[in-house]
Amino acid sequence: MKNNIEHNGQGILDRFSNPGKIQLIYSKHLHSGLPYQRPVRQAHVNRLIRKWDPKYLTPIEVSYRDGKYNVVNGQHRLAAMRRMNGGEDLVARCLVYTGMTYEQEAAMYYLLDKTSGHLKLANAIKALLESGTDPEIIDIRQRIERAGFTWALDKPTGVAYEIKPVRAVIGAYQKLGGPGFSRMLGLMAGTWHGTQTSLKSDMISGMTLFLKTHENELTDHEFIRRLSETDPAEIAQLTHVDRPAVRYARLIRKKYNEQGAKMLPDRFKK
């Protein structure tokens, strides 16, 4: 998936209408906070101000689209410059691209911010979704939404049916495939109704391993019937050996076996 992401994103960047032009632009004309961007973090702004050295200041990457100068990369630098100027308007040195679409901006943001090491995985996935460059990431979100969940990549609120983990979700999709991933989400929704304790990273990994191991040995209806009385928090409390995914999968199997005559064997590797 990573190679596809980078290849598709670079392909979009190759279609810029020009390589960019240096311009001096007043900060009041620069717009940021677009959906593909990570939020401005004051701690990051504070670090920039403490270590500020104009000798290493690179131009702010800007896309001129629909009559607006959109800050694609550099909103933390811009926030630091504004604060050091007492909140007053100032002139910023910008590298301006023209002819870009919103999706191309998102791809550019992902590739540029990724090289800086500041982009967290959730923010990277959000940028890729906005860019529309990775079909697997798009498919994951669509399957999540069709199952009645939301993928909270920005600001989780803790409500039911809100999935926060990123690595566990992507890992589940890659291990189970699209249909298997959708089946897992359907089982979790029907059994635990989107409670946050059922959507923890380790629980998702455990469900992934359980379903991958026993996918042909159980029916969805029987799984929901047997596990619906088990609080996911109980599974979390009882796990104390093995790797996280293995111990969660074993506890799910144990609870499944307690509620019926047909037993599932322990096929999980040590």
Side-chain angles (χ1 to χ4, degrees):
M1 182 180 292
K2 181 179 178 181
N3 290 336
N4 289 339
I5 289 169
E6 293 181 352
H7 174 76
N8 293 337
Q10 188 61 55
I12 281 186
L13 297 187
D14 290 340
R15 296 199 294 274
F16 286 179
S17 61
N18 64 54
K21 179 180 178 181
I22 295 293
Q23 292 181 226
L24 297 177
I25 303 175
Y26 281 102
S27 59
K28 66 181 179 181
H29 298 309
L30 296 173
H31 302 274
S32 63
L34 295 165
Y36 55 75
Q37 293 174 315
R38 59 193 170 108
V40 172
R41 302 189 184 282
Q42 291 307 313
H44 188 186
V45 174
N46 294 339
R47 285 195 298 272
L48 283 175
I49 293 174
R50 287 197 303 270
K51 300 179 179 180
W52 193 264
D53 189 336
K55 291 185 297 184
Y56 303 110
L57 186 62
T58 57
I60 293 170
E61 288 87 1
V62 173
S63 168
Y64 184 72
R65 174 173 55 84
D66 297 332
K68 291 183 178 181
Y69 291 100
N70 298 306
V71 176
V72 178
N73 189 55
Q75 57 179 352
H76 283 89
R77 279 174 283 158
L78 185 60
M81 292 164 64
R82 282 171 170 159
R83 189 191 298 176
M84 289 189 294
N85 198 45
E88 298 296 324
D89 191 29
L90 54 88
V91 175
R93 187 168 178 262
C94 302
L95 180 60
V96 181
Y97 298 90
T98 59
M100 294 176 65
T101 65
Y102 173 86
E103 290 76 17
Q104 288 172 330
E105 290 176 10
M108 181 184 184
Y109 167 77
Y110 166 75
L111 291 173
L112 290 173
D113 215 25
K114 176 175 172 290
T115 61
S116 71
H118 296 306
L119 195 60
K120 294 182 179 179
L121 182 57
N123 299 133
I125 295 301
K126 182 181 177 184
L128 286 168
L129 285 169
E130 294 293 322
S131 74
T133 59
D134 192 279
E136 289 187 356
I137 292 294
I138 293 171
D139 190 41
I140 289 174
R141 182 173 67 174
Q142 289 175 343
R143 291 179 183 276
I144 286 173
E145 292 176 350
R146 283 200 295 267
F149 295 93
T150 57
W151 203 4
L153 296 170
D154 192 6
K155 295 180 179 179
T157 62
V159 300
Y161 293 97
E162 187 178 69
I163 297 178
K164 292 183 289 185
V166 178
R167 295 186 191 280
V169 165
I170 293 174
Y173 179 89
Q174 292 176 333
K175 289 182 176 68
L176 299 174
F181 179 70
S182 291
R183 183 188 182 191
M184 183 192 76
L185 292 174
L187 289 174
M188 297 180 79
T191 305
W192 296 300
H193 309 293
T195 59
Q196 280 300 301
T197 50
S198 71
L199 299 173
K200 301 288 187 182
S201 179
D202 287 343
M203 190 68 177
I204 291 174
S205 297
M207 274 293 297
T208 300
L209 179 58
F210 174 85
L211 191 57
K212 183 68 175 177
T213 304
H214 295 294
E215 58 185 337
N216 297 320
E217 299 177 79
L218 55 88
T219 65
D220 295 7
H221 173 77
E222 187 66 8
F223 178 91
I224 293 172
R225 185 189 71 80
R226 293 195 188 193
L227 271 294
S228 59
E229 297 301 319
T230 299
D231 188 336
E234 181 183 354
I235 295 174
Q237 291 169 359
L238 291 172
T239 56
H240 58 280
V241 294
D242 301 320
R243 291 175 289 113
V246 173
R247 62 178 181 251
Y248 272 77
R250 279 203 168 107
L251 261 296
I252 292 170
R253 181 190 67 87
K254 180 176 182 293
K255 291 299 179 180
Y256 180 91
N257 286 345
E258 287 175 355
Q259 301 300 322
K262 183 180 178 181
M263 301 292 175
L264 296 176
D266 188 348
R267 303 186 192 280
F268 308 113
K269 295 180 181 180
K270 298 282 187 184

